[in-house]
Amino acid sequence: MALAKLVSIIGRQLPPTPWVEGDNIPWQDPAFSERMLVEHLSQERDLASRRTLSIEAHVHFIERQLPGLDHAHILDLGCGPGLYLHRLARRGHCGHGIDFSPAAINHARSVAAREELDCHFEQADLRHADFGEGFDLVLLLYGQINVFTRQHARDILQRAHAALAPGGTLLLEPQTPAAVRGSVDNTTDWTASEHGLFTSRPHVLLHERFWDEPSRTATERWHVIDAETGAVDCHAMSACSYDRDELVDVLRSVGFERIVTHRSLAGDEAAATADLFVLAASRPARLEPAGGETSG
């Protein structure tokens, strides 16, 4: 039954209009978020979050963006299970993390409570959350800016700017255009599994990927076909492609200055990948003229 349903779906699908069929995978679903938490914490691969060795190197680089601040106030947008904020809090900083996933936030809160860390976590959609104000550093890492529409992304960056204290820093880690587009424009594949991210039941998963050149947006579809009942659950997610210059223009337009490009979140060429890059940008300090842009 599942194979027949798969053939039927493949035969009738048309390329999607970006953002129309869905804007993200179901992070807010409790069961899905529990399965995704396993991926966040996995040391086998970098999927929902990165492995410990990478995160430790990133935290050292992040601290270098806080010269002279022994107790910085940090906002982590899309914080997941708190893997960055926990480490920064252990180093004497304090922070607030916001994420859509209930399981990730519950884990982050549990670790913070157990270790008595000075960081707090909120389950909320970044498109609508109150970011607060007075932060020395705002983090938006691991390509998360790409999964929002361009208008939502601009609004999030504008509110991140407002959340910073004068002279504060944003660390933005977007996906590269090549990573968003992928190695081919349009692909379709399917797998049969006993369980997976989208369901704990035996199923067939049809994964489709499309590239829309006019909007420079990639859209993925997942059709989850229950192996026993043939019931189909569908999900879709779109991601915008940005080159560095476009993001620099957006950052300038919402008030950032001194925009510095880094090849990696570890701050060095050896850690650079083809998938991600980093922009550091500052909210102007009081009575200081706007600065320029450099590369690092």
Side-chain angles (χ1 to χ4, degrees):
M1 181 182 295
L3 184 58
K5 183 75 74 172
L6 176 68
V7 171
S8 173
I9 290 171
I10 293 173
R12 69 169 182 262
Q13 291 304 300
L14 297 173
T17 301
W19 310 106
V20 169
E21 296 186 17
D23 56 13
N24 213 323
I25 53 179
W27 294 94
Q28 77 280 15
D29 176 75
F32 179 88
S33 72
E34 288 287 351
R35 293 190 292 269
M36 186 60 84
L37 179 61
V38 175
E39 296 297 336
H40 274 297
L41 303 178
S42 172
Q43 297 301 299
E44 300 299 317
R45 54 192 171 270
D46 298 329
L47 182 58
S49 293
R50 287 170 283 208
R51 284 168 278 195
T52 298
L53 284 176
S54 295
I55 293 172
E56 291 287 356
H58 298 164
V59 167
H60 285 298
F61 173 76
I62 290 168
E63 277 206 296
R64 294 202 298 272
Q65 313 309 304
L66 299 166
L69 293 176
D70 296 327
H71 189 65
H73 195 197
I74 300 167
L75 174 64
D76 190 352
L77 300 175
C79 64
L83 302 180
Y84 286 87
L85 270 188
H86 291 152
R87 285 168 171 81
L88 290 162
R90 291 175 191 133
R91 289 162 167 80
H93 306 294
C94 64
H96 184 74
I98 304 174
D99 198 274
F100 206 20
S101 167
I105 288 296
N106 288 339
H107 177 88
R109 288 171 173 164
S110 176
V111 171
R114 183 174 66 247
E115 298 186 26
E116 299 183 343
L117 300 174
D118 191 3
C119 48
H120 306 277
F121 297 91
E122 174 187 358
Q123 184 193 344
D125 186 332
L126 296 185
R127 294 171 296 184
H128 312 299
D130 180 357
F131 292 172
E133 61 183 4
F135 293 95
D136 301 299
L137 178 68
V138 173
L139 305 175
L140 184 53
L141 306 180
Y142 213 19
Q144 294 184 70
I145 191 66
N146 300 85
V147 304
F148 300 101
T149 67
R150 282 180 164 78
Q151 182 56 49
H152 281 140
R154 187 184 188 283
D155 176 66
I156 288 168
L157 293 174
Q158 188 167 37
R159 289 187 290 120
H161 179 275
L164 284 165
T169 299
L170 167 74
L171 277 183
L172 178 67
E173 187 184 28
Q175 290 180 280
T176 63
V180 175
R181 180 162 184 161
S183 59
V184 294
D185 290 354
N186 301 315
T187 60
T188 299
D189 58 78
W190 65 275
T191 56
S193 304
E194 290 299 311
H195 54 80
L197 279 178
F198 290 101
T199 178
S200 59
R201 293 171 53 84
H203 65 283
V204 173
L205 179 66
L206 172 64
H207 178 212
E208 300 175 290
R209 197 174 191 284
F210 303 89
W211 172 254
D212 182 67
E213 181 61 35
S215 64
R216 289 176 292 119
T217 303
T219 298
E220 295 179 83
R221 280 184 184 139
W222 294 268
H223 300 274
V224 187
I225 307 161
D226 190 282
E228 296 179 5
T229 68
V232 180
D233 193 16
C234 299
H235 306 280
M237 179 178 75
S238 295
C240 292
S241 173
Y242 297 96
D243 61 28
R244 184 191 64 89
D245 290 344
E246 181 179 0
L247 279 173
V248 167
D249 287 344
V250 174
L251 290 169
R252 285 173 171 164
S253 74
V254 299
F256 283 102
E257 64 174 24
R258 295 184 177 83
I259 302 166
V260 181
T261 304
H262 300 277
R263 287 296 309 281
S264 76
L265 194 56
D268 57 42
E269 186 72 22
T273 72
D275 296 334
L276 298 157
F277 65 103
V278 175
L279 294 172
S282 299
R283 176 174 175 173
R286 292 185 182 93
L287 304 179
E288 288 191 12
E293 174 195 342
T294 62
S295 296

